[in-house]
Amino acid sequence: MESQRNILVIALLLVSFLIWQQWQTDKAPQPEVAQQSSQTSTDDASFVPEADQADGEVPTDVAPAASRRLVTITTDSLKLTIDTRGGDVVRAELLEHDDELNSDDKFVLLSNGSNFVNVAQSGLIGRDGPDGSANGRPVYHTEQTSYQLADGQDSLTVPMTFTNDQGVAFTKTFTLTRDNYVVKVGYVIDNQSAEPVQAQLYGQLKQSEVNPNEEGGNMLMASAYRGPAYSSSETRYTKYDFKSVREANLNQTTAGGWVSMLQHYFVSAWIAPKQEQNQLYSRSLNNQGQAIIGFKAPLVTVAPGSEQTVSADLWLGPKLQNKMAAAAENLDLTVDYGWLWFIAQPLFKLLHFLQSFVVNWGLAIVLTTFVVRGIMYPLTKAQYTSMAKMRMLQPKLAALKERHGDDRQKMSQGMMELYKKEKVNPLGGCLPILVQMPIFISLYWVLMESVELRHAPFFLWIDDLSVRDPYFVLPILMGVSMFMIQKMSPTTVTDPMQQKVMQFMPIIFTFFFLWFPAGLTLYWLVSNVVTITQQWYIFRQLEKKGLHSKAAS
């Protein structure tokens, strides 16, 4: 069996699959989006979920736009814009992440534009919840329109107040801490009325299904998921894409849990109260081309003359696994490594560990490749040894075929006896490949999902490992290395057509990798260089034993 050919074919199939996924993403029909004027995004009524009792009604009227204003909150990591109507987060800028490489503009995670909406909403519904009022959502009062975390200050709390006609005071607070992407959103319900107050906390994320500003053509984005996802006590992490939201509303009760909107490298997520039984839900706003995923906490009752606090956490930031794991159980699973996560997780930890020493992420990729290929060296040695032995047996196999002709049964028996006599495993060259391919694929997902590689430089002209090599140097070197591997590898292919296909393999791969991110191409190039070195060393050792020389004769 020709192992080198098999690994090239398998790798070609993998690359072709990624390209097919990108084609599907680009060509698949998109849901129709209702035409919206530039005022729709700011003045339309927000969807408010129904409470768990009949008293909670969805409002039909809204407070006039003139009665509200926007409030900005700035820390070292986040700049939020809050709409005082409802207290929704209508814009979130990540101050430690540039929008584009070397750009003065920061990456915008949440926005409320005319053609794309992505906002984080929250409120109190129920019989006495201000967001469940038929008069529309409340307009909160703030002392300032701008708040900023001062030097030496560890946290910043911004209160927003609203008092209803019965004299019940609701204080909505946003608490942000230094070097943290978690925003704690709380409500203090101060009931100075003569009757009990019933209210229910909800938090939801609303996003347009189609993003006209989304860039296409980046192979790193080929399999990047954008859309809703959630975690519950029954399932650690589940994608609930826009199509699923349109087809059926999510309705699941769980202890704790979270809901999120994912995109490449970044995530926004509502983390429901951990000790409560919460309801996760979704809703499709078909007339607006938008989807909602959210949670509802249990109903609370506040006695007259007392107050009670309810709260939830809102994650707005990059997919940093350690910080997300600390924020909520299973939130780090939004860094999606697929079904090979159990291999990818250790590889990411290795990559992160090496980067902590060398600082440069490109060098970390190189060192990770060395470590992985070093660990797999016994398999590589077994692969090439098997290839050489099989090459050595070709004359004897040809003699068997001539002797038995078209008698397949006798031919198979003769081959088995020959393999047993020569102590050759015909699958010896394939099994190492089957073990190595999951590792290769896992490392691909690690490089694709790691936000740390976004805008990370390597050296000279490679100033961003997450996008393609601008001068195509790495893909060309990768193609040359594949050609060298092919020339060095013993082959049993005699069919002229197969020989031509094999000869064109390096060219085909070079073309594919022209559009792959530099980090992935760097990994593949270094892996090929290590393969060439190992192959040269293994064949040299076989020559000393006389095996390779016999195989070549």
Side-chain angles (χ1 to χ4, degrees):
M1 184 174 291
E2 179 50 65
S3 301
Q4 187 63 32
R5 179 185 63 187
N6 291 340
I7 194 170
L8 286 174
V9 170
I10 293 172
L12 179 60
L13 290 174
L14 173 64
V15 174
S16 301
F17 173 70
L18 296 175
I19 293 176
W20 176 81
Q21 278 193 318
Q22 180 62 47
W23 184 88
Q24 287 289 95
T25 301
D26 293 340
K27 301 299 182 181
Q30 301 290 348
E32 294 184 4
V33 182
Q35 295 294 323
Q36 301 178 29
S37 66
S38 60
Q39 235 177 336
T40 300
S41 62
T42 56
D43 292 344
D44 65 336
S46 299
F47 166 77
V48 175
E50 294 183 2
D52 290 343
Q53 58 184 52
D55 302 49
E57 300 292 339
V58 178
T60 55
D61 301 318
V62 298
S67 66
R68 70 179 195 247
R69 56 182 178 173
L70 300 179
V71 177
T72 59
I73 307 173
T74 307
T75 68
D76 58 327
S77 304
L78 293 169
K79 182 178 181 181
L80 306 183
T81 302
I82 314 294
D83 189 338
T84 55
R85 180 172 71 87
D88 296 335
V89 183
V90 295
R91 185 177 177 86
E93 298 179 48
L94 307 186
L95 302 182
E96 295 179 338
H97 295 266
D98 293 342
D99 184 36
E100 297 180 356
L101 184 65
N102 299 324
S103 170
D104 292 332
D105 297 327
K106 299 304 177 182
F107 182 81
V108 178
L109 178 60
L110 300 182
S111 62
N112 195 25
S114 58
N115 58 357
F116 182 72
V117 173
N118 184 17
V119 296
Q121 302 174 316
S122 58
L124 294 175
I125 51 178
R127 188 188 67 192
D128 304 302
D131 291 271
S133 170
N135 295 323
R137 302 186 69 198
V139 176
Y140 289 91
H141 170 74
T142 58
E143 296 294 335
Q144 305 168 208
T145 57
S146 179
Y147 297 83
Q148 185 163 357
L149 185 70
D151 293 338
Q153 189 178 4
D154 292 330
S155 65
L156 175 64
T157 298
V158 176
M160 309 173 69
T161 59
F162 171 79
T163 303
N164 66 12
D165 295 338
Q166 290 73 40
V168 180
F170 300 89
T171 303
K172 186 172 187 176
T173 60
F174 293 86
T175 303
L176 296 81
T177 56
R178 185 175 297 277
D179 190 30
N180 202 328
Y181 292 101
V182 174
V183 180
K184 183 173 288 295
V185 181
Y187 284 88
V188 178
I189 306 172
D190 185 7
N191 182 15
Q192 297 304 317
S193 70
E195 300 293 333
V197 169
Q198 291 186 345
Q200 185 175 15
L201 172 67
Y202 79 92
Q204 63 186 23
L205 300 161
K206 180 170 70 172
Q207 186 174 125
S208 299
E209 295 188 29
V210 177
N211 184 359
N213 303 316
E214 208 164 44
E215 295 181 2
N218 186 344
M219 284 305 302
L220 192 61
M221 296 290 291
S223 301
Y225 173 77
R226 182 178 76 85
Y230 70 92
S231 176
S232 69
S233 55
E234 295 181 2
T235 175
R236 300 170 65 205
Y237 167 64
T238 300
K239 296 175 183 175
Y240 202 74
D241 59 21
F242 293 125
K243 181 180 178 182
S244 299
V245 173
R246 290 195 301 271
E247 292 178 348
N249 290 332
L250 174 67
N251 184 12
Q252 189 171 132
T253 301
T254 178
W258 49 260
V259 294
S260 67
M261 286 288 186
L262 308 183
Q263 62 188 83
H264 197 212
Y265 294 139
F266 303 98
V267 58
S268 53
W270 275 110
I271 304 167
K274 296 179 175 60
Q275 306 303 323
E276 305 289 351
Q277 288 291 321
N278 306 294
Q279 181 186 357
L280 309 184
Y281 65 89
S282 69
R283 177 71 175 264
S284 177
L285 307 181
N286 291 321
N287 61 323
Q288 300 177 48
Q290 297 169 352
I292 283 175
I293 188 166
F295 79 92
K296 291 188 292 185
L299 189 73
V300 297
T301 301
V302 185
S306 64
E307 67 177 32
Q308 187 166 339
T309 300
V310 292
S311 65
D313 291 342
L314 175 63
W315 172 277
L316 299 172
K319 294 180 180 178
L320 299 174
Q321 295 185 55
N322 292 337
K323 290 189 175 183
M324 286 194 297
E329 186 177 7
N330 301 324
L331 187 59
D332 57 318
L333 297 182
T334 55
V335 181
D336 191 357
Y337 294 139
W339 64 277
L340 291 172
W341 60 268
F342 54 92
I343 300 176
Q345 282 283 4
L347 287 175
F348 172 78
K349 292 181 180 179
L350 173 62
L351 179 67
H352 202 277
F353 172 77
L354 294 173
Q355 190 275 339
S356 66
F357 286 98
V358 299
V359 180
N360 186 293
W361 282 101
L363 290 177
I365 292 174
V366 173
L367 294 178
T368 299
T369 309
F370 286 157
V371 172
V372 171
R373 294 311 303 264
I375 293 174
M376 293 192 301
Y377 176 73
L379 293 175
T380 303
K381 184 177 180 180
Q383 174 187 338
Y384 286 114
T385 301
S386 178
M387 289 168 60
K389 288 182 178 180
M390 289 298 295
R391 180 70 174 89
M392 181 180 65
L393 292 181
Q394 290 307 305
K396 296 182 179 181
L397 291 172
L400 279 176
K401 185 174 183 180
E402 184 177 349
R403 185 186 314 154
H404 298 298
D406 296 332
D407 192 333
R408 295 185 178 181
Q409 184 175 359
K410 290 185 177 180
M411 180 65 183
S412 298
Q413 292 176 349
M415 290 173 60
M416 291 300 103
E417 292 175 0
L418 179 62
Y419 292 151
K420 185 176 182 180
K421 179 182 178 181
E422 298 293 339
K423 298 180 179 180
V424 173
N425 181 2
L427 299 179
C430 294
L431 292 178
I433 297 174
L434 296 178
V435 175
Q436 294 177 49
M437 284 308 295
I439 298 176
F440 294 153
I441 296 172
S442 298
L443 193 52
Y444 163 79
W445 286 110
V446 168
L447 297 178
M448 194 194 86
E449 281 286 296
S450 298
V451 66
E452 290 84 354
L453 296 183
R454 184 178 185 267
H455 298 168
F458 181 33
F459 76 106
L460 297 179
W461 71 97
I462 304 296
D463 52 11
D464 188 350
L465 289 166
S466 69
V467 299
R468 65 176 177 82
D469 182 342
Y471 301 112
F472 307 115
V473 175
L474 291 180
I476 293 173
L477 291 177
M478 189 278 304
V480 172
S481 66
M482 288 192 68
F483 178 79
M484 294 176 63
I485 291 174
Q486 198 176 75
K487 287 298 182 183
M488 292 175 63
S489 302
T491 179
T492 60
V493 177
T494 57
D495 181 70
M497 180 61 68
Q498 290 189 32
Q499 288 180 347
K500 288 184 179 180
V501 172
M502 293 297 292
Q503 289 173 358
F504 278 102
M505 278 286 191
I507 299 176
I508 294 172
F509 267 72
T510 299
F511 176 78
F512 285 162
F513 273 79
L514 291 176
W515 317 110
F516 270 49
L520 180 61
T521 309
L522 175 64
Y523 155 70
W524 208 289
L525 169 61
V526 175
S527 181
N528 284 352
V529 172
V530 174
T531 296
I532 292 171
T533 305
Q534 290 180 339
Q535 194 170 332
W536 172 83
Y537 176 76
I538 292 169
F539 286 167
R540 185 180 178 186
Q541 295 299 110
L542 293 176
E543 285 177 355
K544 289 181 180 180
K545 296 179 180 179
L547 178 59
H548 189 236
S549 59
K550 291 180 183 179
S553 62

